[in-house]
Amino acid sequence: MNPLRRFAERVRNWWRGSDTTGTSGGVMTLNSPSFLESMGLTKRRKTTSEVTYFTCLKMLSETLAKMPIKYYQKTDKGIMEAEQTETSKLLTKRPNPFMTPTVFWNTVEMNRNHYGNAYVYMRKKFVRKKYGGEVRVLDLWVMQSNCVTIVVDDAGIFAGVGRLWYVYTDPTSGRQYVFDTSEVMHFKTSFSFDGVTGLPVQQILRDTISGASASQSYMNSLYESGLTAKATLEYTGELNETAKTALIKSFEEFGSGAKNTGKIIPVPLGMKLTPLDIKLSDSQFFELKKYTALQIAAAFGVKPNQINDYSKSSYANSELQQLSFYVDTELFVIKQYEEEINYKMMTEEEQDDGFYYKFNEKVLFRTDSKTQMSYLKEGVTGSIMMSNEARRKLDLPDAEGGDVLLANGNVIPLTQAGAAYLKGGQTEAEETDEPEQPEEETEPDTEQPDTATEPDETDTAEDETDEEGGE
């Protein structure tokens, strides 16, 4: 290592109070733990070092990052996936040259939960055309939330009274940039009193998280001491302070620390060493630690099974908790993101034409292969989806003839129910549709008698003559 860099690193460690080289000459700095302890102060631990707090941040950020963003359009024929544009590719393929969509949204959600607010800068450019032009978004950048300050122009100095401006200070160069609200997408937590900025969970539950960190520090001190409790030393006579200090130091040299675990402690003649038997179970240490973890998880909206607490859950109950996590926690987050993205990333013409962005939340409910095949089979046979649509969900190529809806031949419209039991296979509706033919009434003809039925007089006379001749 460069000697100048080594010297600078040593000075930096000395100022931070973490000089472990032993070259400080016993000088205490303002940030050294020994100085803070002598003043009755303790240095605050980072909230992310608390395991439950870190687990909740990890769970929420990864849940949002695993959901891809889809680009849709509402048409007269229903909702369809729209053709990709240069702007939509930023959300679905590459927000900027250094981040994938998964890493990008994971970073945004991490800032939102840890600091209460997340800010995304949209770098725009006006593209000239033959007639007029359009404003195009070139790329998206995550601004660190602790480097952003919201300024309200209540005096109308910039461009109107009451407008918001975002002042970003670059942590590397120290330069400041001022952005308008149309250039920044602002995502906040659900806990807000003014609707402009959100409050982080670490600020709301500061005492609870500090207590959880203190319990972890206590566990660490037990491990460092070799899980040995305090002890009392009984002796007769009186010792001055120097002798007491030397005696304590000698006992700690043999009995304190993980390196002395299992070793024999020499006790001088006439003295008695009695350990103080303090059990963690007597003080319900682990029960209190578990209760604190559940409180932190509940503040984030994370379910117990997601922080590895399966004491009151089973496999079936875990599935219900996953659904409850989506409805109670993620649904609000997803809706907020979609509203901000659709408002800031799309023009009014695109919104009027029915274009919009939507997170695909179905990835949260992926099940085993058997349940998935049953779901797709019922969707295809029930005329809900086409065969090729089901094959695409399984990452399979399209099949010939798979772009048509299939239906069971036994399924008929409700108006034709019971048609098989009617004569000729006709339904009652079809019979009633045919107009009834009125019957023709025939009146008897009194003027022209029917010659075919009434006997003629000549025929009667001939019959009588034949009868006489025969006799």
Side-chain angles (χ1 to χ4, degrees):
M1 182 183 291
N2 191 339
L4 295 178
R5 183 176 298 177
R6 187 185 300 112
F7 176 75
E9 186 70 22
R10 186 174 299 173
V11 172
R12 187 183 300 110
N13 292 336
W14 175 83
W15 173 253
R16 293 176 179 175
S18 57
D19 185 12
T20 58
T21 59
T23 59
S24 60
V27 178
M28 293 187 298
T29 64
L30 296 178
N31 294 324
S32 60
S34 57
F35 175 76
L36 294 176
E37 290 178 1
S38 63
M39 298 297 294
L41 303 175
T42 56
K43 192 173 182 179
R44 288 187 57 189
R45 295 167 53 104
K46 292 183 178 180
T47 53
T48 52
S49 63
E50 208 285 314
V51 61
T52 305
Y53 183 84
F54 170 77
T55 304
C56 293
L57 289 182
K58 179 176 179 293
M59 176 63 62
L60 293 173
S61 59
E62 291 182 355
T63 300
L64 182 72
K66 71 176 65 172
M67 292 184 290
I69 296 181
K70 298 292 185 178
Y71 187 46
Y72 295 104
Q73 182 185 13
K74 293 181 181 179
T75 62
D76 297 336
K77 296 182 179 180
I79 299 175
M80 304 174 60
E81 284 198 32
E83 185 178 354
Q84 291 287 339
T85 61
E86 295 296 331
T87 304
S88 64
K89 290 179 182 179
L90 297 176
L91 296 173
T92 58
K93 294 184 178 180
R94 202 77 178 179
N96 57 65
F98 306 106
M99 297 182 185
T100 62
T102 303
V103 175
F104 180 83
W105 293 114
N106 181 80
T107 307
V108 173
E109 183 67 1
M110 186 73 72
N111 277 272
R112 188 187 73 89
N113 288 298
H114 185 60
Y115 295 105
N117 300 273
Y119 309 95
V120 176
Y121 167 60
M122 300 177 292
R123 191 167 68 94
K124 299 181 179 181
K125 181 182 179 181
F126 182 77
V127 180
R128 295 185 178 274
K129 295 184 178 181
K130 186 176 181 180
Y131 300 101
E134 63 177 0
V135 178
R136 182 178 300 173
V137 181
L138 300 180
D139 41 33
L140 304 175
W141 298 92
V142 181
M143 297 188 294
Q144 298 183 28
S145 300
N146 58 337
C147 300
V148 178
T149 304
I150 299 179
V151 178
V152 180
D153 187 10
D154 54 353
I157 298 176
F158 294 102
V161 179
R163 294 192 60 179
L164 294 179
W165 300 89
Y166 296 90
V167 181
Y168 173 67
T169 304
D170 193 339
T172 57
S173 63
R175 295 182 57 184
Q176 286 190 342
Y177 304 89
V178 180
F179 302 116
D180 185 41
T181 54
S182 60
E183 299 176 293
V184 177
M185 288 191 292
H186 184 185
F187 308 101
K188 58 186 74 69
T189 58
S190 59
F191 196 82
S192 175
F193 288 110
D194 54 8
V196 178
T197 58
L199 295 177
V201 175
Q202 63 169 328
Q203 180 178 347
I204 302 171
L205 301 181
R206 179 177 301 173
D207 295 337
T208 304
I209 297 176
S210 299
S213 300
S215 65
Q216 186 61 40
S217 300
Y218 177 69
M219 289 292 299
N220 295 339
S221 63
L222 286 180
Y223 290 137
E224 292 174 358
S225 62
L227 295 177
T228 56
K230 294 181 179 181
T232 59
L233 180 63
E234 300 178 8
Y235 61 90
T236 58
E238 294 183 0
L239 298 175
N240 55 21
E241 294 296 331
T242 304
K244 289 181 181 179
T245 304
L247 185 62
I248 294 174
K249 185 177 180 180
S250 62
F251 273 100
E252 288 181 348
E253 183 180 356
F254 290 98
S256 178
K259 61 181 180 180
N260 294 320
T261 303
K263 293 184 178 180
I264 299 175
I265 303 176
V267 180
L269 184 64
M271 295 185 181
K272 181 180 180 181
L273 185 66
T274 305
L276 299 177
D277 190 10
I278 301 177
K279 296 182 180 180
L280 296 178
S281 57
D282 295 338
S283 59
Q284 294 184 340
F285 176 80
F286 295 105
E287 286 79 2
L288 293 175
K289 188 176 179 64
K290 179 180 177 181
Y291 176 71
T292 303
L294 291 177
Q295 280 186 319
I296 298 175
F300 279 104
V302 176
K303 302 304 176 183
N305 67 308
Q306 294 174 324
I307 57 173
N308 298 327
D309 183 5
Y310 294 94
S311 58
K312 295 183 180 180
S313 64
S314 58
Y315 178 77
N317 192 18
S318 297
E319 292 184 348
L320 294 178
Q321 288 185 2
Q322 181 70 9
L323 178 60
S324 177
F325 170 70
Y326 167 71
V327 175
D328 300 337
T329 305
E330 284 299 312
L331 194 59
F332 170 83
V333 178
I334 295 172
K335 188 173 183 292
Q336 179 192 180
Y337 273 87
E338 291 175 350
E339 291 173 348
E340 186 73 4
I341 292 173
N342 289 324
Y343 181 74
K344 297 287 183 68
M345 293 284 293
M346 303 184 66
T347 61
E348 294 184 0
E349 291 78 8
E350 291 176 334
Q351 296 179 14
D352 295 338
D353 292 338
F355 293 97
Y356 66 96
Y357 296 99
K358 186 179 184 299
F359 282 91
N360 184 16
E361 73 282 355
K362 296 181 179 61
V363 299
L364 301 178
F365 305 102
R366 288 183 177 178
T367 57
D368 58 286
S369 300
K370 182 178 180 181
T371 306
Q372 188 178 15
M373 292 299 295
S374 177
Y375 159 75
L376 295 176
K377 179 181 178 182
E378 292 180 0
V380 173
T381 56
S383 303
I384 299 176
M385 65 175 65
M386 293 181 289
S387 300
N388 284 338
E389 293 177 339
R391 294 177 63 87
R392 295 189 193 108
K393 294 182 181 298
L394 299 175
D395 298 329
L396 297 176
D398 293 350
E400 185 178 357
D403 292 328
V404 294
L405 288 175
L406 304 178
N408 193 344
N410 297 327
V411 180
I412 60 174
L414 184 62
T415 56
Q416 297 183 6
Y421 302 100
L422 299 178
K423 292 183 178 180
Q426 269 190 331
T427 63
E428 295 180 358
E430 292 177 351
E431 290 181 353
T432 55
D433 290 342
E434 297 180 358
E436 297 181 357
Q437 299 292 338
E439 297 181 357
E440 296 182 358
E441 297 180 359
T442 56
E443 297 180 357
D445 190 3
T446 54
E447 296 180 356
Q448 296 180 358
D450 189 0
T451 57
T453 55
E454 296 183 359
D456 194 0
E457 294 179 356
T458 56
D459 294 339
T460 307
E462 290 177 358
D463 293 338
E464 292 177 355
T465 308
D466 292 339
E467 290 177 357
E468 291 177 356
E471 292 177 355

